[in-house]
């Protein structure tokens, strides 16, 4: 999911990473909202509130929304910066570091919530927005800007455009490509929704509270090392079959 880049990426690879990361984003979004009554996967609403406070000359009040926006921006910048630094190293999966940082943030928030009462929720909100900025940046780079997983506004816009294109004959030569893109967007939307439902269930019904974020971090870790595990199994199986074949010849 994470290793294939550029022309080697297929719709199947993008579907896999899109479903996993949109699912995690759904969990984070609902958990952040239930815990702090703030959106923690996108900045559109925060930007509107920031403008409202500035328009009312409440500059100090609007500072917090500016920090929310900056946290998402800084997360995106940091992810891209790390990827650019390490992409020349062919032996290293450049998406490992941003993903591990995101996992560390989710684990840390959950652990802190168990140790002590959260006195500065705005810091936690900023940390979650930073993590989502990281995620949105590296999934955008890995999929060549095809996949975005932390917010749905653009997705619904693109989906509406592509659905309308299916009705016109001029787009008939590109019909298969349009259908595959529609499929990808529907998967992202559905898994974001599913992640939100499960996140809300774990937070409220199971009463995991912020420990719900651990569930999202574990999913990220599994998906990150899925390819390595899969290739390891295939390699081991090939060696076993080769050894078995050599023994049968002897």
């Amino acid at each position: 999911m994470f290793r294939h880049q550029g022309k080697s990426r297929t719709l199947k690879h993008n579907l896999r990473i899109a479903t996993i990361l949109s699912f995690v984003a759904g969990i984070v979004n609902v958990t952040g909202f239930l815990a702090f009554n703030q959106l923690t996967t996108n900045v559109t609403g925060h930007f509107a509130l920031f403008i409202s406070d500035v328009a009312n000359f409440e500059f100090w009040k609007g500072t917090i929304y500016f920090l929310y926006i900056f946290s998402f921006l800084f997360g995106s910048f940091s992810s891209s910066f790390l990827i650019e630094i390490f992409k020349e190293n062919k032996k290293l999966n450049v998406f490992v570091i941003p993903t591990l940082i995101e996992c560390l943030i989710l684990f840390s928030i959950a652990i802190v919530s168990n140790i002590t009462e959260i006195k500065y929720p705005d810091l936690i909100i900023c940390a979650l927005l930073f993590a989502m900025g990281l995620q949105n940046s590296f999934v955008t780079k890995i999929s060549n800007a095809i996949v975005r997983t932390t917010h749905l506004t653009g997705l619904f816009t693109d989906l509406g455009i592509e659905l309308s294109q299916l009705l016109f004959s001029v787009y008939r030569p590109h019909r298969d490509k349009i259908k595959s893109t529609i499929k990808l967007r529907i998967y992202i939307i559905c898994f974001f929704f599913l992640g939100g439902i499960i996140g809300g269930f774990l937070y409220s019904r199971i009463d995991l509270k912020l420990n719900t974020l651990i569930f999202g971090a574990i999913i990220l870790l599994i998906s990150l090392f899925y390819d390595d595990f899969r290739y390891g199994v295939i390699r081991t199986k090939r060696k076993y079959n080769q050894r078995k074949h050599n023994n049968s010849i002897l």
Side-chain angles (χ1 to χ4, degrees):
M1 283 183 285
F2 286 82
R3 283 192 174 277
H4 298 88
Q5 302 171 37
K7 294 181 179 179
S8 66
R9 286 197 71 80
T10 63
L11 174 63
K12 187 177 181 180
H13 296 138
N14 284 335
L15 280 173
R16 284 179 177 174
I17 199 168
T19 53
I20 292 295
L21 295 183
S22 59
F23 183 80
V24 172
I27 291 174
V28 172
N29 192 47
V30 168
T31 302
F33 186 78
L34 291 175
F36 308 111
N37 200 32
Q38 293 287 353
L39 300 173
T40 53
T41 59
N42 63 83
V43 296
T44 306
H46 300 314
F47 195 76
L49 292 170
F50 172 67
I51 292 173
S52 176
D53 288 336
V54 170
N56 292 322
F57 300 101
E58 296 178 323
F59 299 106
W60 183 249
K61 183 181 177 182
T63 302
I64 189 59
Y65 297 112
F66 173 78
L67 290 175
Y68 291 167
I69 297 166
F70 179 78
S71 296
F72 191 93
L73 173 66
F74 187 57
S76 178
F77 167 83
S78 300
S79 180
S80 181
F81 182 77
L82 290 169
I83 290 168
E84 292 298 325
I85 285 178
F86 293 106
K87 73 177 182 180
E88 298 302 325
N89 187 342
K90 302 300 181 181
K91 295 182 180 179
L92 176 68
N93 181 350
V94 294
F95 301 100
V96 166
I97 297 175
T99 309
L100 288 178
I101 293 174
E102 181 181 348
C103 291
L104 179 62
I105 291 171
L106 298 183
F107 274 119
S108 298
I109 292 172
I111 292 170
V112 167
S113 70
N114 291 323
I115 295 174
T116 183
E117 181 183 354
I118 295 177
K119 296 181 180 179
Y120 304 101
D122 290 327
L123 290 178
I124 304 299
I125 295 168
C126 286
L128 289 174
L129 284 165
F130 177 84
M132 291 297 98
L134 280 171
Q135 176 176 303
N136 208 43
S137 179
F138 73 69
V139 75
T140 299
K141 291 183 76 69
I142 196 174
S143 66
N144 293 322
I146 295 174
V147 179
R148 287 183 174 85
T149 59
T150 62
H151 50 279
L152 303 181
T153 307
L155 279 171
F156 275 105
T157 302
D158 293 337
L159 181 60
I161 292 170
E162 288 152 1
L163 286 171
S164 72
Q165 289 174 345
L166 293 177
L167 302 177
F168 294 91
S169 58
V170 68
Y171 294 104
R172 191 164 294 163
H174 310 289
R175 198 175 185 85
D176 290 339
K177 184 178 180 181
I178 293 172
K179 283 184 176 180
S180 65
T181 308
I182 289 173
K183 180 181 179 181
L184 176 64
R185 302 198 196 288
I186 291 174
Y187 267 66
I188 295 172
I189 293 167
C190 289
F191 275 84
F192 189 94
F193 181 71
L194 182 61
I197 290 177
I198 292 178
F201 178 79
L202 294 174
Y203 186 96
S204 301
R205 297 287 183 175
I206 308 299
D207 202 31
L208 290 182
K209 302 301 181 185
L210 285 173
N211 288 314
T212 305
L213 297 174
I214 293 177
F215 184 65
I218 290 172
I219 293 173
L220 272 177
L221 286 175
I222 292 173
S223 65
L224 181 61
F225 296 107
Y226 169 79
D227 285 336
D228 292 327
F229 175 76
R230 181 168 169 267
Y231 290 142
V233 170
I234 293 172
R235 196 181 304 114
T236 302
K237 188 176 180 180
R238 284 177 179 172
K239 287 182 180 179
Y240 173 77
N241 290 335
Q242 184 65 38
R243 192 180 298 114
K244 188 177 179 180
H245 176 71
N246 292 338
N247 290 338
S248 65
I249 293 176
L250 295 174

